[in-house]
Amino acid sequence: LDDVIGIVISEADYMKTMLEGLLLLERMNESGSLDESNVDLRSFISDVFASAITLGKRDWHLGDVPDITVKLDVPKVRGALFNLLDNAEKATSEGDLISLSVVSHNGYLDVSVADTGPGIDPNYLQTIFERFERGTSHDQRGAGLGLAIVRAVAKAHEGTIKVDSVLGGGSTFTMRFPSSRVVDGVEG
């Protein structure tokens, strides 16, 4: 009986998470869906990184972060970045490199998560940001909403998300925000 109760609780948690993801995706399409505030980018990225390194034994690296203040919906961007870092951890093995970096150039602010994992099958690169797309994920519990949410968060911030991946050579996911999000500080 305890096993059955455990399975029911696990399935209920899974359904709750999936429904919350679907609701978030729908809300992100509404205008005014962001609760923006000015945030010190270095502190914000450092906090996200500090949480991410608890995910697993990887060679974690935090790159330079510009000393700027940006206007973001902190919980949504944090969730999107954590999703990318969590995916990188799941796609890699102990000792693989996972890096988080921010570069400001040419009117954009690029926030990237890169890993030295196995890369992504090119057949999935065109649809990887679609709802319910799981590709060849080893995480069979995933609903395929995480990257769709990342895309919706980037879009709501007038930004984009892209992936560069080479089979056997790792992947880099980059959220690109317009420099109009910078409210204080000097761009790189």
Side-chain angles (χ1 to χ4, degrees):
L1 184 60
D2 287 343
D3 289 344
V4 172
I5 292 171
I7 291 170
V8 169
I9 289 171
S10 175
E11 290 302 312
D13 287 344
Y14 172 73
M15 291 301 295
K16 177 183 176 218
T17 300
M18 188 168 66
L19 288 172
E20 287 171 347
L22 287 168
L23 287 170
L24 176 60
L25 276 171
E26 286 305 312
R27 277 190 235 117
M28 293 304 296
N29 290 326
E30 300 169 6
S31 92
S33 64
L34 298 179
D35 183 15
E36 297 174 302
S37 61
N38 294 342
V39 60
D40 176 270
L41 189 63
R42 279 188 178 162
S43 294
F44 172 67
I45 294 294
S46 292
D47 289 346
V48 171
F49 185 76
S51 295
I53 62 175
T54 66
L55 291 171
K57 293 181 180 180
R58 303 295 183 267
D59 182 9
W60 294 95
H61 176 75
L62 177 60
D64 290 334
V65 179
D67 186 15
I68 56 178
T69 300
V70 293
K71 188 172 187 171
L72 300 172
D73 184 319
V74 172
K76 288 183 178 80
V77 173
R78 179 183 173 81
L81 288 175
F82 200 78
N83 181 285
L84 294 176
L85 290 158
D86 184 51
N87 285 353
E89 189 276 333
K90 289 175 182 169
T92 57
S93 301
E94 188 172 333
D96 278 336
L97 174 68
I98 299 174
S99 65
L100 174 60
S101 62
V102 182
V103 176
S104 179
H105 63 95
N106 296 333
Y108 295 99
L109 187 65
D110 289 346
V111 182
S112 298
V113 173
D115 68 63
T116 57
I120 300 166
D121 185 326
N123 294 322
Y124 296 109
L125 290 177
Q126 296 301 314
T127 59
I128 199 166
F129 297 106
E130 300 297 322
R131 291 179 189 194
F132 306 114
E133 177 60 61
R134 290 180 29 194
T136 56
S137 174
H138 298 292
D139 179 17
Q140 298 303 312
R141 295 293 295 166
L145 294 175
L147 291 176
I149 291 170
V150 170
R151 181 178 64 180
V153 169
K155 186 177 177 183
H157 286 83
E158 297 101 25
T160 59
I161 178 76
K162 72 172 188 162
V163 60
D164 295 304
S165 187
V166 175
L167 276 178
S171 302
T172 301
F173 286 82
T174 302
M175 292 180 74
R176 173 171 275 185
F177 300 102
S179 62
S180 59
R181 294 247 152 232
V182 177
V183 293
D184 186 33
V186 178
E187 286 189 77

